[in-house]
């Protein structure tokens, strides 16, 4: 669900966050309006607002694990983890984690990829949130949820800064709640 | 086998009138911790005094050694023969699972860099993205990701560096930083120093002053420090490469 529909309607921080995100047309290929969060990271106030909103939401929910999807999930997850007293668990592309891993594949537009996690990173019954910068189809997040559930952990929510139109109206992802701060900038509104 | 070093002199003009202790700039025999594979005996150690602004950090010291550092060092897992035989890989993911050790790591960097007029924290992909942003947020600086080729969507400048076999590139967005800004560069570990040296060159090309490079771990045998030119290096833990 979008933050504006869930208690933060009219919150000026959401506008500041949205305005700080740069749109880069035709990246990585023609027709894609790429949502560039690097400009958000350059805006200290807006970056702090982003983290504060997530921290306020999760700090009293007994979350013991913040998992972040490589690589842009790494830019948001650790700050949230530190503020709420949770562990940070990186979810990585294949071959990057040095220890024993479990992996889950997910679909790309053409072909598929894999997401990996260390086997000892989360314990059964731990309460987990999964962070990424943006959710489009939800394929990567679904793979992340599968990894957590395979270890007996409970995914409390998935959280992203930006949610593409495909997810609007969908409150759940593979049965799990989804929390998104802003819609993409620079898109024409259809229906 | 892992060991701890104390911090080094931070060569900054102090912005405030607070009297600072001067640091000794040489490496001192450091505490050796039991590795995760074998046990060695603990030796006595002495450490250089560390300049601090935070009273809390001063309270955590004993004989000049920051007491948080042994815990940070012991939270790092060593994985033998990754990515190839003979390499002892320093796995910081276990540090990230230790909430106190991770918090202490960030706190030490924040205490060192807060109030020094640093407006840019640059982090090297990908593990630099884990440590950099929390530091940037706490000291009021921008976070600038330095990435592998073709990841950044906008106009970039890039710098090549040598690998064991071949070369690689590191990239940064044009306009992310401005001439005259003061920056620190963060990565989890310095080995040969190739990546950090490339990051320094990239930032200096656009007129940024590198105040310091900061890593959690150094592998001193690989002499990465020598590649950094004028830029000082601050680390928390040293370890053997192989």
């Amino acid at each position: 669900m979008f933050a504006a529909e869930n208690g933060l309607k009219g919150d000026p921080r959401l506008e500041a966050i949205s305005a700080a995100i740069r749109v880069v047309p035709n990246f990585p290929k023609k027709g894609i309006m790429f949502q560039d969060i690097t400009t958000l990271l350059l805006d200290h106030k807006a970056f702090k607002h982003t983290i504060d909103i997530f921290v306020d939401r999760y700090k009293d929910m007994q979350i013991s694990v913040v998992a972040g999807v490589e690589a842009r999930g790494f830019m948001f997850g650790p700050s949230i983890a530190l503020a709420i007293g949770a562990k940070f668990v990186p979810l990585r592309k294949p071959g990057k984690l040095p220890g024993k891993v479990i992996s889950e594949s997910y679909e790309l537009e053409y072909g598929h990829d894999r997401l990996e996690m260390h086997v000892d990173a989360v314990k059964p019954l731990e309460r987990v949130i999964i962070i990424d910068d943006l959710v489009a189809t939800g394929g990567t997040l679904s793979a992340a949820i599968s990894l957590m559930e395979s270890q007996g952990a409970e995914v409390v929510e998935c959280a992203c800064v930006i949610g593409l139109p495909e997810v609007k109206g969908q409150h759940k992802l593979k049965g799990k709640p989804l929390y998104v701060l802003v819609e993409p900038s620079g898109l024409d509104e259809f229906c | 086998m892992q060991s701890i070093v104390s911090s080094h002199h931070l060569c900054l003009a102090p912005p405030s009138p607070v009297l600072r202790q001067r640091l000794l700039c040489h490496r001192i025999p450091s505490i050796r911790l039991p590795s995760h594979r074998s046990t060695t005996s603990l030796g006595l150690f002495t450490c250089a005094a560390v300049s601090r602004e935070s009273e809390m950090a001063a309270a955590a010291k004993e004989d000049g050694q920051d007491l948080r550092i042994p815990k940070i060092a012991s939270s790092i897992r060593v994985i033998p023969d990754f990515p190839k035989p003979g390499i002892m890989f320093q796995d910081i993911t276990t540090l990230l699972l230790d909430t106190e050790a991770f918090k202490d790591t960030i706190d030490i960097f924040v205490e060192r860099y807060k109030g020094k007029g640093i407006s840019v924290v640059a982090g090297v992909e990908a593990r630099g993205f884990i440590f950099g942003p929390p530091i940037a947020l706490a000291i009021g600086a921008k976070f600038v990701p330095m990435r592998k080729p073709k990841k950044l969507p906008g106009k970039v400048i890039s710098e090549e560096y040598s690998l064991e076999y071949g070369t690689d590139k590191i990239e940064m967005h044009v306009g992310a930083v401005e001439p005259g800004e003061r920056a620190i560069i963060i990565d989890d570990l310095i080995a040969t120093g190739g990546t950090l040296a490339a990051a320094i060159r990239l930032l200096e090309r656009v007129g940024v002053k590198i105040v310091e490079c900061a890593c959690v771990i150094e592998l001193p045998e690989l002499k990465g420090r020598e590649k950094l030119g004028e830029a000082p290096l601050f680390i928390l833990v040293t370890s053997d490469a192989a």
Side-chain angles (χ1 to χ4, degrees), chain A residues 32 38 43 50 58-59 61 65 95 109 122 142 184 186 191:
Chain A
I32 309 256
T38 67
D43 182 337
T50 307
Y58 297 118
K59 65 179 192 266
M61 288 174 73
V65 173
E109 195 179 2
V122 300
S142 286
C191 38

Side-chain angles (χ1 to χ4, degrees), chain B:
Chain B
M1 204 178 308
Q2 293 203 334
S3 50
I4 305 163
V5 290
S6 58
S7 39
H8 302 263
H9 176 53
L10 182 61
C11 303
L12 299 177
S16 69
V18 171
L19 190 62
R20 306 248 174 101
Q21 284 177 290
R22 283 196 62 85
L23 297 174
L24 301 173
C25 284
H26 55 274
R27 181 96 49 68
I28 283 144
S30 30
I31 192 168
R32 289 193 168 277
L33 280 190
S35 77
H36 291 264
R37 291 182 72 209
S38 62
T39 312
T40 54
S41 56
L42 289 176
L44 286 177
F45 66 97
T46 55
C47 289
V50 172
S51 77
R52 291 274 183 247
E53 291 175 279
S54 154
E55 278 181 17
M56 238 167 60
K61 273 188 306 148
E62 198 177 85
D63 298 332
Q65 167 69 33
D66 192 324
L67 293 177
R68 296 171 289 183
I69 291 185
K71 186 167 165 51
I72 292 167
S74 65
S75 73
I76 298 164
R77 174 171 67 165
V78 181
I79 306 242
D81 303 322
F82 183 90
K84 49 183 217 222
I87 309 268
M88 301 289 280
F89 189 89
Q90 305 291 318
D91 180 20
I92 50 93
T93 67
T94 44
L95 186 165
L96 307 174
L97 296 178
D98 182 333
T99 50
E100 208 182 296
F102 186 25
K103 183 182 184 303
D104 287 345
T105 303
I106 299 300
D107 284 350
I108 292 172
F109 289 128
V110 169
E111 288 155 19
R112 186 173 181 84
Y113 298 119
K114 199 171 188 148
K116 304 281 199 309
I118 289 163
S119 58
V120 175
V121 174
V124 179
E125 171 157 19
R127 291 184 287 264
F129 295 176
I130 296 174
F131 296 94
I135 298 167
L137 283 167
I139 71 173
K142 314 190 270 202
F143 177 70
V144 176
M146 311 200 76
R147 298 211 67 173
K148 303 274 187 209
K150 300 203 182 70
K151 301 293 183 82
L152 292 168
K155 192 151 179 269
V156 297
I157 51 168
S158 62
E159 187 71 35
E160 211 172 64
Y161 62 100
S162 298
L163 298 172
E164 197 179 1
Y165 301 109
T167 61
D168 203 346
K169 265 195 208 164
I170 185 176
E171 295 187 337
M172 178 173 76
H173 270 146
V174 169
V177 297
E178 279 159 45
E181 293 208 77
R182 288 158 56 79
I184 56 169
I185 308 174
I186 306 282
D187 207 352
D188 66 322
L189 178 146
I190 175 172
T192 62
T195 325
L196 274 178
I200 292 169
R201 288 195 300 273
L202 247 191
L203 287 163
E204 287 184 339
R205 268 165 60 189
V206 291
V208 168
K209 161 93 178 141
I210 311 303
V211 171
E212 197 157 78
C213 294
C215 302
V216 180
I217 307 158
E218 179 188 20
L219 307 179
E221 292 161 8
L222 300 181
K223 302 199 168 96
R225 197 178 280 263
E226 292 170 14
K227 289 221 178 68
L228 304 185
E230 299 283 299
L233 174 68
F234 175 69
I235 49 161
L236 304 186
V237 175
T238 65
S239 192
D240 297 335

Side-chain angles (χ1 to χ4, degrees), chain A residues 2-152:
Chain A
F2 282 85
E5 297 154 13
N6 192 37
L8 292 186
K9 190 177 167 69
D11 190 321
R13 294 178 299 177
L14 294 179
E15 234 189 272
I17 291 165
S18 191
I21 296 166
R22 173 172 69 162
V23 181
V24 181
N26 303 314
F27 183 89
K29 49 182 221 234
K30 226 165 172 311
I32 309 256
M33 301 290 277
F34 190 88
Q35 304 293 310
D36 180 19
I37 50 92
T38 67
T39 44
L40 173 63
L41 306 174
L42 297 179
D43 182 337
H44 174 257
K45 280 210 184 77
F47 185 24
K48 189 171 183 309
H49 289 329
T50 307
I51 300 302
D52 286 348
I53 292 171
F54 287 128
V55 169
D56 287 341
R57 181 173 180 81
Y58 297 118
K59 65 179 192 266
D60 295 322
M61 288 174 73
Q62 291 81 46
I63 306 292
S64 60
V65 173
V66 175
V69 180
E70 169 162 20
R72 289 185 288 265
F74 291 6
M75 300 178 195
F76 297 94
S79 301
I80 300 167
L82 284 162
I84 69 174
K87 310 190 283 194
F88 179 71
V89 173
L91 304 179
R92 299 211 65 175
K93 305 278 183 197
K96 302 291 184 85
L97 291 169
K100 192 150 179 270
V101 296
I102 45 167
S103 71
E104 187 75 28
S105 71
Y106 62 97
E107 303 252 319
L108 299 172
E109 195 179 2
Y110 302 110
H112 36 261
D113 205 343
R114 295 187 83 82
L115 203 59
E116 293 188 340
M117 177 171 80
H118 273 147
V119 295
D120 38 19
V122 300
K123 308 229 175 331
L125 304 181
E126 289 212 80
R127 290 166 59 80
V128 179
I129 56 169
I130 304 172
I131 306 281
D132 207 352
D133 65 322
L134 178 147
V135 54
T137 62
T140 322
L141 285 175
S142 286
I145 293 167
S146 294
L147 283 175
M148 294 303 160
E149 293 186 331
S150 76
Q151 303 297 287

